[in-house]
Amino acid sequence: MKLDNDCIRDILISIESIEYGSAYTIEKLHELLPNYSYDKLQYHCVQLLDAGLIKAISMPARGSYIPQINRIIDLTYPGHQFLANIREDNNWKKIKGISSSIGFAGLKVISAIAEGVATAAINKHLGFSEQIS
């Protein structure tokens, strides 16, 4: 299955709303994000777990070797940082535009672009966008 970065962003935003000490199932996540299929959400959560962006309990389904997420617990610290850089809609549009124009859209690339966009915004806000002579 191809990674869908909009799906990843939507999942991270939804997971962030989990109350401390609670957990989501993929079924609950599917209720919150009905535009994505159950299988798509399952696949993307497995990828987010592998990337170290979420905390979850995973085990293969009975009689299968394919990993499945049983409970989604929370975002990891890197997951919170990644989401902070992609949460705002205008920044997300810029990030998607840049990744589309260069033809790369993996999580590491999206993260690097997001950090670059955030750094550029900070520099502009601080007045560092002008050349220093």
Side-chain angles (χ1 to χ4, degrees):
M1 183 177 289
K2 184 177 177 182
L3 279 181
D4 178 337
N5 289 317
D6 286 315
C7 182
I8 286 170
R9 179 175 177 256
D10 291 341
I11 289 170
L12 293 174
I13 290 169
S14 295
I15 291 173
E16 185 184 44
S17 68
I18 296 174
E19 289 184 37
Y20 184 73
S22 301
Y24 279 2
T25 60
I26 295 295
E27 290 83 3
K28 174 65 176 174
L29 193 60
H30 191 246
E31 288 175 22
L32 297 171
L33 301 170
N35 293 337
Y36 301 109
S37 72
Y38 177 91
D39 288 341
K40 187 169 195 164
L41 291 170
Q42 182 69 255
Y43 177 80
H44 283 76
C45 284
V46 168
Q47 299 307 310
L48 289 167
L49 180 62
D50 285 348
L53 297 178
I54 66 171
K55 297 175 190 173
I57 299 169
S58 171
M59 61 182 59
R62 181 174 279 171
S64 174
Y65 63 90
I66 299 171
Q68 300 234 339
I69 300 295
N70 299 89
R71 294 273 188 267
I72 303 164
I73 300 164
D74 201 353
L75 300 177
T76 61
Y77 183 72
H80 280 287
Q81 289 181 308
F82 180 68
L83 180 57
N85 288 338
I86 66 170
R87 175 194 324 280
E88 206 267 298
D89 287 336
N90 286 334
N91 287 348
W92 183 237
K93 288 176 188 172
K94 288 177 191 174
I95 293 162
K96 284 176 35 173
I98 293 167
S99 69
S100 176
S101 70
I102 62 172
F104 298 106
L107 282 176
K108 282 190 175 189
V109 172
I110 294 292
S111 183
I113 294 168
E115 286 184 29
V117 168
T119 300
I122 292 166
N123 287 340
K124 183 177 179 183
H125 181 76
L126 295 174
F128 296 150
S129 60
E130 298 176 15
Q131 259 189 337
I132 300 173
S133 22

